[in-house]
Amino acid sequence: MPKSVRRKLEQVLTAGWRDSRSRGWFQQHWLDLPFELGRRLAPLIGAGADDVIFCDNTSINLFKMLAAALALRSERRFILTESANFGTDLYIAEALCERSGGRHAMRYAADAVDLSAMIDSETAVVYLSLVDYRDSRRHDLAAITRAAHAQGALVVWDLSHAAGAVAIDLLTADVDFAVGCGYKYLCGGPGAPAFLFVHPRWQQDAVSIIPGWMGHADMLAFEPTYRPAAGIRRFLTGTSPVLANTIALAALEIWAEIEPAALFAKHRGLSELLVQLIDRELAPFGAKLASPRDYDQRGGHIALAVNNAETVLDQLLQRGVQCSLRKPQLIRFGLAPLGLRYVDVWDGIATIKDILQHPH
Ligand SMILES: Cc1ncc(COP(=O)(O)O)c(C=O)c1O
């Protein structure tokens, strides 16, 4: 939690809510927060300052981005994804297909090799999570985007387990649409708004499937008919959460002070250390690295395969080692470079080793 959060919230509650009340939307620039957050995130994901906004949650943004991409390729049939994609990503794509009146259908690849071979002239959208939420396997963003474009398909990437941990260059890779969580490596706080990215070439043609008043061309004219705003603004829906945006801004202000390359180098350093220590300290007790060994094939976290993972996880949490379980036997360690220190990795490993050495 950024130290400035309390102060910033206090300011919004007193100078904002108490004193300005609804005038706060203008006096305190609350309407600009979705854009301000986007401008601050942009350098971390290789986007232009006007190509990103924070709004809604990741699921809703996936729905908006995928629907927009499909509408731009409406004559094509398939959404190509992986069966291992995160639940919400799959549910949303399946729901869009079901409601398309037979126009669109899903295709599921079993793995990355399979996937490249499946992109063809009937593919409307290649729709993937950059990093697997279980084992942290990372796709090749640029290569898959290239392969999709070579067949005339568009791409929608979910960057949730990568943004703020590993270097991403959306414009260089020519990505069409992307989304991601604000509450993971970006440290935007519990329930932080999510972000969405639209490539400038689509910002005038892509339409929002949730045409809310905040995305209207003239929001305060209260027209009876929807007209999309110019640019990325059209992907706003309704009133945004000012308190959550304020908290997220406290974190993104820190990001703005940091050279992204230095931070990604730190993430790499933390990850390589963890892998090394897993091999050296934990392997003798039956715990194994369950993520790819090559850094460029991994995302933000590292997964460890252990027996009795649920019990080990409980003990780790009790002893202050932050991690999460993906059943049946994976324990995930998210290496957030903004706050985590090398010594934390050493201490965490010592605790895991102790638990594995003395099972009870
Ligand atoms: C890859 C991925 N996509 C989407 C989500 C869902 O995000 P939200 O709860 O913001 O809709 C998650 C949540 O952990 C996730 O891991």
Side-chain angles (χ1 to χ4, degrees), residues 57-59 62 86 88-89 129 133 158 160-161 181 183-184:
N57 55 40
T58 319
S59 303
L62 281 166
F86 188 73
T88 211
D89 300 58
S129 291
Y133 70 99
D158 181 342
S160 292
H161 293 274
C181 299
Y183 49 74
K184 292 189 167 74

Side-chain angles (χ1 to χ4, degrees), residues 161-182:
H161 293 274
V166 300
I168 300 170
D169 206 337
L170 293 178
L171 287 178
T172 304
D174 208 24
V175 166
D176 302 290
F177 299 92
V179 304
C181 299

Side-chain angles (χ1 to χ4, degrees), residues 288-358:
K288 277 204 243 26
L289 176 72
S291 297
R293 251 170 212 286
D294 178 356
Y295 180 75
D296 294 329
Q297 290 176 19
R298 281 199 310 265
H301 64 280
I302 285 183
L304 184 70
V306 252
N307 293 329
N308 305 317
E310 222 159 327
T311 318
V312 173
L313 179 99
D314 284 345
Q315 292 178 47
L316 282 169
L317 293 176
Q318 273 169 31
R319 291 174 63 171
V321 179
Q322 195 58 43
C323 49
S324 55
L325 182 70
R326 283 299 168 265
K327 287 179 180 174
Q329 54 156 16
L330 294 188
I331 297 185
R332 301 185 307 178
F333 300 92
L335 297 159
L338 204 55
L340 204 70
R341 303 163 304 171
Y342 288 94
V343 66
D344 297 323
V345 175
W346 284 95
D347 289 348
I349 284 285
T351 309
I352 307 170
K353 185 174 173 181
D354 189 45
I355 291 167
L356 296 177
Q357 260 178 322
H358 307 102

Side-chain angles (χ1 to χ4, degrees), residues 207-290:
V207 291
S208 177
I209 194 168
I210 311 178
W213 71 300
M214 292 253 170
H216 193 279
D218 192 353
M219 186 186 123
L220 295 177
F222 302 105
E223 291 174 10
T225 310
Y226 178 77
R227 282 189 296 124
I232 192 107
R233 171 184 289 278
R234 64 182 54 187
F235 287 102
L236 284 182
T237 54
T239 307
S240 63
V242 175
L243 298 181
N245 282 348
T246 302
I247 294 171
L249 184 60
L252 277 156
E253 280 177 354
I254 303 176
W255 286 102
E257 287 171 20
I258 294 166
E259 179 56 49
L263 212 92
F264 299 135
K266 177 160 176 226
H267 181 265
R268 186 179 195 124
L270 290 166
S271 311
E272 308 282 33
L273 175 64
L274 184 55
V275 169
Q276 213 182 329
L277 293 179
I278 287 172
D279 286 346
R280 198 177 81 197
E281 302 292 321
L282 306 184
F285 301 98
K288 277 204 243 26
L289 176 72

